Amino acid sequence: MEQDVHLPPVNVGVAVARRRGVVFADVRGEIDTDSYRHLRQELFSCLDGGPAALVVDLRHVDFFGSLGIAVLMEVHERATELGAAFALVAEQRTVVEPIRVTEVGELLGLCSTVEEAVARVEGGPARAEDDGFSWWSS
């Protein structure tokens, strides 16, 4: 007997860029029960090769549930184990509010701009003249 298998669509995409030892993961879409496994896999693969830092950009995430926080906590823990700095970028209420309510914003390095996140992971002040990150702005 043949059976049709219908897998739920993955509602999240991750574009990855690297610059000076920092990996940038631009996450877009919805982080929910259908997509969190894919997101986890993508973010863990960003840590392959031992980058100095991982910046996760959530500015284009439309839905962010508790599974998103769980994934970010796992990825942060793995980054810490590998000695990589970690920061998040988020500005919309649908993402920022759950992070603040669960009080993990400081631990996860929550920032409102990519420049702020870069400064956080590099341990220095944000530099507006840095030409490598202008395309990350919305």
Side-chain angles (χ1 to χ4, degrees):
M1 171 184 277
E2 283 190 39
Q3 196 173 28
D4 287 338
V5 176
H6 298 283
L7 298 176
V10 175
N11 301 325
V12 69
V14 180
V16 178
R18 290 171 173 74
R19 180 153 173 94
R20 294 189 318 263
V22 179
V23 175
F24 296 89
D26 182 12
V27 181
R28 294 171 183 256
E30 300 175 358
I31 302 172
D32 57 19
T33 57
D34 293 336
S35 64
Y36 80 95
R37 288 181 189 90
H38 178 73
L39 177 64
R40 179 191 299 127
Q41 178 182 351
E42 291 293 317
L43 294 180
F44 268 88
S45 71
C46 287
L47 295 169
D48 291 346
L54 173 59
V55 173
V56 180
D57 186 347
L58 301 175
R59 291 177 298 160
H60 301 103
V61 170
D62 303 319
F63 179 83
F64 185 79
S66 60
L67 289 171
I69 292 172
V71 167
L72 293 175
M73 293 296 290
E74 287 180 63
V75 175
H76 172 269
E77 182 177 333
R78 182 66 180 142
T80 300
E81 290 170 358
L82 296 172
F86 185 90
L88 296 178
V89 180
E91 56 189 17
Q92 67 277 30
R93 187 176 189 278
T94 57
V95 175
V96 173
E97 194 60 25
I99 292 171
R100 287 201 177 133
V101 165
T102 55
E103 299 179 352
V104 296
E106 185 60 33
L107 175 69
L108 296 175
L110 180 61
C111 301
S112 59
T113 67
V114 172
E115 292 78 14
E116 182 184 348
V118 169
R120 182 180 180 101
V121 298
E122 291 183 344
R127 297 180 308 203
E129 70 275 7
D130 192 340
D131 64 348
F133 307 107
S134 60
W135 62 274
W136 286 88
S137 300
S138 53

